Amino acid sequence: MRWSKLNVLLIVIVGALVGVGSYAFIYARGYSYLLNDPKACANCHVMNDQYSGWIKSSHHSVATCNDCHTPHNFLGKYAVKASNGFFHSFYFTTGKYPDNIQITKFDREVVEGACRHCHSNITEAIDASHVHGREALHCTRCHSSVGHSESTASLVLPENLRRDHE
């Protein structure tokens, strides 16, 4: 069998990507993100404040990171984990992340969905009596420190809500 230079180059590139990816997955403990252990979120030092805030929070004994930061269905959970894992790895590897970690609009919506999932009896009653409907109310507007103590509350609120909260 004769190998073309292109075939050899492709094999080398794929092999290098698999090798580097495997090494990074093991070295950076990427496998831990497939589990439900909150310590995985503190694998990177920039997340230490969020982890410490969760330890001090009112939800520490009843909710893990995945309970609030991923959807409550199998496909949604692992799709969000894959997306967040890729972008977290990219930004942490390149060092291009802000000093003040901010939640994205998409992930804020996931958190809102998690609040509403676990507290549906309360949120449905509030939504039914509120004239503007569900869109006007966001759980984290008033309950910003539930998942992360006051010391990290500003990290989970968008800029416009943070001003209203302060």
Side-chain angles (χ1 to χ4, degrees):
M1 175 177 203
R2 188 155 187 237
W3 292 84
S4 73
K5 288 181 182 180
L6 182 59
N7 286 345
V8 171
L9 181 61
L10 277 170
I11 289 170
V12 168
I13 290 172
V14 169
L17 288 173
V18 169
V20 169
S22 297
Y23 174 75
F25 194 70
I26 293 167
Y27 176 75
R29 294 179 280 182
Y31 58 85
S32 65
Y33 294 98
L34 299 174
L35 307 173
N36 206 31
D37 185 356
K39 290 178 187 165
C41 297
N43 279 348
C44 185
H45 70 278
V46 299
M47 296 301 288
N48 284 339
D49 286 345
Q50 286 77 7
Y51 180 73
S52 295
W54 170 76
I55 292 286
K56 299 171 194 167
S57 78
S58 62
H59 274 49
H60 172 253
S61 62
V62 294
T64 65
C65 305
N66 286 326
D67 292 324
C68 298
H69 292 282
T70 62
H72 288 250
N73 63 69
F74 182 83
L75 186 60
K77 176 179 181 175
Y78 286 98
V80 166
K81 279 178 160 270
S83 173
N84 286 345
F86 172 80
F87 286 107
H88 290 168
S89 296
F90 175 78
Y91 290 120
F92 296 149
T93 300
T94 62
K96 296 187 185 285
Y97 55 86
D99 290 334
N100 185 11
I101 301 294
Q102 296 286 320
I103 192 168
T104 66
K105 181 180 179 190
F106 173 80
D107 288 322
R108 192 170 45 255
E109 290 172 7
V110 170
V111 170
E112 181 69 22
C115 294
R116 291 174 174 281
H117 174 83
C118 292
H119 301 286
S120 62
N121 57 337
I122 296 169
T123 59
E124 287 171 3
I126 292 170
D127 290 342
S129 66
H130 198 271
V131 293
H132 297 293
R134 175 181 173 165
E135 288 74 32
L137 297 175
H138 297 281
C139 299
T140 56
R141 181 178 181 133
C142 298
H143 302 282
S144 63
S145 64
V146 167
H148 301 276
S149 70
E150 287 295 332
S151 63
T152 59
S154 66
L155 301 177
V156 297
L157 284 176
E159 184 66 32
N160 64 326
L161 293 182
R162 224 177 311 139
R163 280 190 303 256
D164 295 343
H165 183 68
E166 292 174 345

